[in-house]
Amino acid sequence: MKHVDSDTYSVAWFKLADCIARGEKERALGVFRLLSHSFDDSALACQLYGDILRSFNDPKAVEQYQNAAQLYRERKRWIEAAAVYEHIITIEPENRQIRAQLIELYQQLHIRSKVMLYTSALIDSLLQNNEWKQAIEVVTQYDTAGDSTFTAQLHERMLFYLVTVQDVLADTKLVHAKKAIDAWHAASNEQAITQLLSKLRAADEGLATHAQEYMAHVK
């Protein structure tokens, strides 16, 4: 923070809070612009600007939050960036781009639970809109995340969704069956493989036969 007389600084923040409380948007933004000259942290300045716009229900707040998150990322301040993206999600819960950014950040932070949460949400959103090709890309990217059980669950989800889509090649479906089997095998969960094959047999006998043959080869 650049040097500013503490009394002047305190009064300015009080004025800003008062303007927001009174619903005086333009005055609040004017006071903030004056205060912003004392900031050394441009990312924090963008975030606070977003907070002010958000207090007036201004949709441009999201743009400021995105700017703040990008600046945090450029400075490798991953936790702050993730926190801002989390806030954006509360405003725009269906924002897929932000979900993708959160997945990437939490992978960098090695917070597996958050990676799984946002990966699942992103795939659900894509499949609900029949955007299965994009969903496949997301699932494929997760293959390198190192959680065999979750990887298996993702490929099973794709498999049984694709079984219901007529214009998907059988080879494409079989890829996910094989990857699910591989992942369950890596997780030492043979029971899950048995359940997968049983469920697949009820949905697509021919595909189940190919998966069973692959399973025999894996063993």
Side-chain angles (χ1 to χ4, degrees), residues 16-126:
L16 176 59
D18 185 57
C19 290
I20 292 173
R22 292 173 179 273
E24 298 173 346
K25 179 180 178 181
E26 293 307 318
R27 285 192 64 192
L29 292 176
V31 174
F32 176 76
R33 291 187 187 98
L34 292 175
L35 277 170
S36 66
H37 294 301
S38 66
F39 293 163
D40 287 327
D41 191 334
S42 57
L44 179 60
C46 284
Q47 186 175 350
L48 291 174
Y49 188 22
D51 288 339
I52 294 171
L53 293 176
R54 177 66 176 158
S55 70
F56 292 104
N57 297 314
D58 189 327
K60 292 181 180 179
V62 172
E63 180 181 346
Q64 290 303 317
Y65 287 138
Q66 289 177 322
N67 290 340
Q70 182 58 38
L71 288 169
Y72 282 133
R73 293 183 70 175
E74 289 173 3
R75 292 162 174 75
K76 298 184 179 180
R77 294 163 63 180
W78 313 125
I79 293 177
E80 289 99 326
V84 174
Y85 283 135
E86 290 269 13
H87 187 52
I88 295 175
I89 282 293
T90 67
I91 302 170
E92 298 183 349
E94 297 303 317
N95 192 318
R96 296 176 188 170
Q97 181 182 4
I98 298 303
R99 283 180 181 155
Q101 298 284 9
L102 281 166
I103 293 168
E104 180 182 337
L105 280 171
Y106 284 127
Q107 284 177 329
Q108 290 175 315
L109 290 166
H110 304 290
I111 303 178
R112 184 175 296 176
S113 61
K114 289 285 191 177
V115 174
M116 291 190 293
L117 172 67
Y118 286 107
T119 299
S120 292
L122 180 55
I123 290 171
D124 285 344
S125 176
L126 290 167

Side-chain angles (χ1 to χ4, degrees), residues 107 112 138-148 151 155 179:
Q107 284 177 329
R112 184 175 296 176
V138 175
V139 172
T140 301
Q141 289 170 2
Y142 192 86
D143 273 345
T144 61
D147 189 309
S148 298
T151 297
H155 282 291
K179 286 183 176 292

